[in-house]
Amino acid sequence: MYTFKDYYNNEVKLSFDDHPFSLEPKHVWVVCRHKDKWLLTKHKGRGYEFPGGNVEEGENAKEAAIREVKEETGGNVEKIYYIGQYNVTGRNETVIKNVYFAKINQLIQQDTYYETEGPILLKKIPSNVRYNHLYSFIMKDGVLDYCMKQIRKTRLLARA
């Protein structure tokens, strides 16, 4: 388990174990690949980030992850893998998120991308994301770094 502070100085606990904080998390975040590129979305208020959001009533976290990718990028998830889960303890609430890695086989143009401006494809995630104003705060803490290491360690990129 990794413990660190997020962009807003909240405590984050990240684990690559099977659902260590909740069997029914209410939030998801999906690290996506499409044709050898990273698939992000541009949130209207926060900037570039991987897709994610809330688990809606009647769906599980994996279903929410697939839906969020579709809504925010137009991406069709071919394969999705659970990576881990993290817990953010804020002043007013605790947020628990499942993190997934997804292979996207198709991007479909949509009339709306909801709260985002649609897909962003990047050959490489810049090493200075933490200091780059184009990127969301969600991309600026240890979750991204540790998840990328876990993706490489488990050879998920080879499957994408």
Side-chain angles (χ1 to χ4, degrees):
M1 179 164 332
Y2 301 95
T3 302
F4 50 90
K5 299 289 185 177
D6 72 3
Y7 183 77
Y8 294 109
N9 209 33
N10 297 308
E11 184 179 81
V12 178
K13 292 182 179 178
L14 169 67
S15 174
F16 298 116
D17 293 337
D18 185 18
H19 296 84
F21 307 113
S22 174
L23 294 176
E24 297 180 5
K26 301 296 179 204
H27 306 275
V28 296
W29 194 52
V30 188
V31 178
C32 299
R33 289 286 282 180
H34 175 63
K35 294 185 177 179
D36 294 325
K37 293 185 179 174
W38 298 105
L39 173 63
L40 289 80
T41 188
K42 184 178 180 189
H43 188 277
K44 291 177 182 174
R46 297 188 298 249
Y48 298 168
E49 61 189 26
F50 285 112
N54 296 324
V55 177
E56 293 180 357
E57 193 168 326
E59 69 183 358
N60 63 40
K62 186 175 179 181
E63 292 165 338
I66 292 167
R67 176 185 49 76
E68 289 288 351
V69 170
K70 174 87 169 86
E71 287 180 359
E72 295 182 0
T73 68
N76 183 49
V77 173
E78 180 179 343
K79 294 180 183 175
I80 190 164
Y81 305 92
Y82 170 86
I83 298 174
Q85 191 175 72
Y86 67 100
N87 176 326
V88 181
T89 305
R91 282 187 289 249
N92 300 322
E93 68 176 329
T94 296
V95 174
I96 298 172
K97 273 187 195 185
N98 275 8
V99 181
Y100 295 92
F101 176 75
K103 177 183 178 185
I104 310 305
N105 63 3
Q106 183 180 21
L107 287 179
I108 301 165
Q109 188 169 348
Q110 303 178 151
D111 291 335
T112 181
Y113 295 96
Y114 299 86
E115 70 274 5
T116 78
E117 295 177 11
I120 303 290
L121 289 166
L122 298 175
K123 189 73 177 161
K124 182 179 174 190
I125 303 294
S127 58
N128 67 344
V129 165
R130 208 168 266 155
Y131 307 104
N132 189 321
H133 71 281
L134 295 175
Y135 289 84
S136 164
F137 73 91
I138 295 169
M139 303 282 286
K140 295 182 177 187
D141 61 30
V143 174
L144 176 63
D145 295 336
Y146 288 120
C147 286
M148 290 302 220
K149 288 175 187 170
Q150 184 70 8
I151 287 167
R152 285 190 294 274
K153 178 181 172 184
T154 57
R155 299 177 184 242
L156 287 174
L157 280 180
R159 300 181 204 174

